[in-house]
Amino acid sequence: MSVFDTVLNFIFPPTCPACKESVENRGDWCQDCLMEHINFQRLTGDKILEQLVIGGCYAMAKYSGPAGELIRNLKYKKKMESEAGIHTFLNKALERPSVKKVILRCDVAVPIPLHEEKKKKRGFNQVELIFRDVLLKQGIAWSDCLLRMANTKPQFGLKAEERKENLKSAFSIRDIKSVKGKDVLLVDDIMTTGTTIAKCASILMQNGANSVTALVFASDREK
Ligand SMILES: [Zn+2]
């Protein structure tokens, strides 16, 4: 540990993101909280998503819980230290056989893209920060093959028709060979309506993906 980290840990002792008890290293969770908050589940009930995302849509955690809070802190408050806690959470989740079975059968992970302007403004694509290194370590390739064309308004709060209109020709694809014949893991930070995931999955399938499985870090959808 560097001198800086030692001083930092003395002034701001690292705490578990859930129970706020002290932990040894920044980014650690206590074991009990990890057990409680890893909530890997298949999101079903949306017919269009079920048809397009043949590998299924999955979430790792509840958005309303402490794992979701890490995402909110990263995305909206730019608290970059949240990344370590997110990685600890994902690595632990990936030790579970039920998670491995779904995720490790995929060849390549493709993030839902941010528009370049938005990425510039935020300074990063949170989806990449959340998943990239963790999945590479598991032997899953990473391909930024999807591009967001129009600077779409946030989907949140729009009616179904407006959402469709908003997403029309919003995405395109490059480097098709990175997904052709592959089992693709489409990753995003959160899932609200699923419209974006459906649109991106259909582009991947049209371009020869063998299957698409969707994984979001957090969601409050019940099914
Ligand atoms: Zn805890």
Side-chain angles (χ1 to χ4, degrees), residues 37-44 46 49 57-69 71-72 75 89-90 130-131 188-195 197 214-223:
H37 294 288
I38 293 173
N39 197 329
F40 184 67
Q41 60 166 343
R42 186 166 180 165
L43 307 169
T44 56
D46 184 320
L49 268 184
C57 287
Y58 295 85
M60 284 287 189
K62 293 262 180 252
Y63 186 62
S64 52
E69 195 183 354
I71 299 290
R72 292 189 289 278
K75 198 169 163 182
F89 189 92
L90 277 177
I130 294 165
F131 287 106
D188 206 357
D189 53 347
I190 59 168
M191 163 126 78
T192 44
T193 66
T195 316
I197 288 174
L215 174 68
V216 297
F217 186 78
S219 173
D220 276 344
R221 283 162 76 111
E222 281 307 313
K223 281 199 162 184

Side-chain angles (χ1 to χ4, degrees), residues 16 18-19 30 33:
C16 169
C19 67
C30 65
C33 287

Side-chain angles (χ1 to χ4, degrees), residues 1 9 13-17 21-29 84-85 88:
M1 199 181 282
N9 285 358
T15 57
C16 169
E21 291 287 322
S22 69
V23 289
E24 200 177 332
N25 304 300
R26 214 158 286 280
D28 285 355
W29 288 60
T88 305

Side-chain angles (χ1 to χ4, degrees), residues 19-207:
C19 67
K20 313 295 178 198
E21 291 287 322
S22 69
V23 289
E24 200 177 332
N25 304 300
R26 214 158 286 280
D28 285 355
W29 288 60
C30 65
Q31 290 305 312
D32 289 350
C33 287
L34 274 177
M35 289 297 286
E36 186 184 338
H37 294 288
I38 293 173
N39 197 329
F40 184 67
Q41 60 166 343
R42 186 166 180 165
L43 307 169
T44 56
D46 184 320
K47 272 192 192 138
I48 296 169
L49 268 184
E50 290 279 301
Q51 278 166 12
L52 287 168
V53 186
I54 54 177
C57 287
Y58 295 85
M60 284 287 189
K62 293 262 180 252
Y63 186 62
S64 52
E69 195 183 354
L70 288 177
I71 299 290
R72 292 189 289 278
N73 284 340
L74 177 71
K75 198 169 163 182
Y76 303 115
K77 297 182 186 168
K78 297 190 180 176
K79 289 190 179 174
M80 305 315 284
E81 66 270 22
S82 303
E83 197 186 344
I86 291 168
H87 288 177
T88 305
F89 189 92
L90 277 177
N91 283 322
K92 192 73 189 172
L94 276 159
E95 289 176 8
R96 294 193 177 178
S98 58
V99 180
K100 275 186 183 165
K101 204 176 127 196
V102 172
I103 308 301
L104 299 189
R105 62 171 284 278
C106 298
D107 305 306
V108 57
V110 173
I112 299 280
L114 273 184
H115 189 269
E116 281 304 315
E117 263 174 43
K118 207 170 190 178
K119 188 173 168 182
K120 232 188 242 166
K121 210 166 149 197
R122 187 173 286 157
F124 53 87
N125 180 352
Q126 69 281 1
V127 186
E128 193 177 317
L129 294 187
I130 294 165
F131 287 106
R132 188 175 179 273
D133 290 353
V134 172
L135 294 173
L136 283 174
K137 212 173 80 185
Q138 296 286 339
I140 299 171
W142 183 267
S143 172
D144 293 302
C145 64
L146 291 175
L147 299 170
R148 197 179 282 248
M149 306 307 288
N151 197 356
T152 42
K153 290 179 269 180
Q155 290 288 86
F156 183 76
L158 298 180
K159 295 195 184 87
E161 272 308 306
E162 295 171 327
R163 277 203 296 271
K164 236 195 255 164
E165 194 57 34
N166 193 28
L167 281 175
K168 214 181 227 175
S169 64
F171 299 97
S172 72
I173 189 165
R174 63 178 169 194
D175 189 20
I176 292 168
K177 69 176 189 305
S178 69
V179 295
K180 198 167 186 184
K182 304 279 172 67
D183 292 308
V184 177
L185 184 67
L186 183 59
V187 288
D188 206 357
D189 53 347
I190 59 168
M191 163 126 78
T192 44
T193 66
T195 316
T196 309
I197 288 174
K199 179 83 188 167
C200 289
S202 82
I203 292 172
L204 290 166
M205 291 303 283
Q206 280 163 24
N207 284 280

